[in-house]
């Protein structure tokens, strides 16, 4: 059974930092693309970034580029989202997601999802 279990998140002031974690079990972590998405109230789920399984190459949405960093620890089967210089517009529920082999930015392309975690950035 595949499980993606998220931790981290919470309330932070603008300009602050948070780190989200996503512990993965039940799949071959090293060959899966791991992505982060977010969804604000009344909005569609949007791509934040992903990291590939083989070369750990990353891609980010323009809105977070230079502020957010995705990394993965293959020994722990965990992917991280380090969020710096947070802004109120980053407030959303954040989700990790997994799909095999080929990176994609569409939420519908991902097979497995974490439970979501709330990030709130106050101004």
């Amino acid at each position: 059974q595949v499980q993606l279990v998220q931790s981290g998140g919470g309330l932070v002031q603008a300009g602050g930092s948070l780190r989200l974690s996503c512990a993965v079990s039940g799949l071959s972590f090293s060959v899966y693309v791991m992505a982060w998405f977010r969804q604000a109230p009344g909005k569609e789920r949007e791509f934040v970034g992903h990291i590939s399984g083989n070369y750990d190459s990353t891609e980010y949405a323009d809105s977070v580029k230079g502020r957010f960093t995705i990394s993965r620890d293959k020994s722990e089967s965990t992917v991280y989202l380090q969020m710096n210089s947070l802004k109120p517009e980053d407030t959303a529920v954040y989700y990790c997601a997994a799909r095999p082999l080929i990176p994609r930015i569409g939420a519908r392309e991902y097979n497995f999802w974490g439970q979501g975690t709330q990030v709130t950035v106050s101004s």
Side-chain angles (χ1 to χ4, degrees), residues 15-115:
S17 298
L18 283 175
R19 189 177 80 156
L20 306 183
S21 301
C22 176
V24 180
S25 60
L27 55 75
S28 298
F29 184 69
S30 61
V31 301
Y32 269 70
V33 177
M34 297 302 302
W36 290 93
F37 290 81
R38 66 186 182 186
Q39 189 166 19
K43 295 189 176 181
E44 292 189 354
R45 193 166 298 188
E46 67 169 351
F47 171 75
V48 173
H50 61 57
I51 185 166
S52 67
N54 43 12
Y55 301 112
D56 286 350
S57 60
T58 54
E59 181 181 357
Y60 300 95
D62 288 343
S63 58
V64 306
K65 202 172 292 183
R67 299 187 299 122
F68 290 12
T69 302
I70 297 174
S71 61
R72 64 195 295 160
D73 183 337
K74 293 182 179 179
S75 67
E76 297 290 334
S77 296
T78 299
V79 62
Y80 302 97
L81 178 65
Q82 177 66 44
M83 304 182 290
N84 299 328
S85 302
L86 282 160
K87 305 175 181 180
E89 51 263 44
D90 294 318
T91 296
V93 176
Y94 283 71
Y95 297 90
C96 62
R99 75 178 313 278
L101 298 177
I102 308 298
R104 293 284 187 266
I105 64 172
R108 294 176 180 175
E109 306 277 0
Y110 284 78
N111 308 89
F112 305 105
W113 291 85
Q115 80 275 22

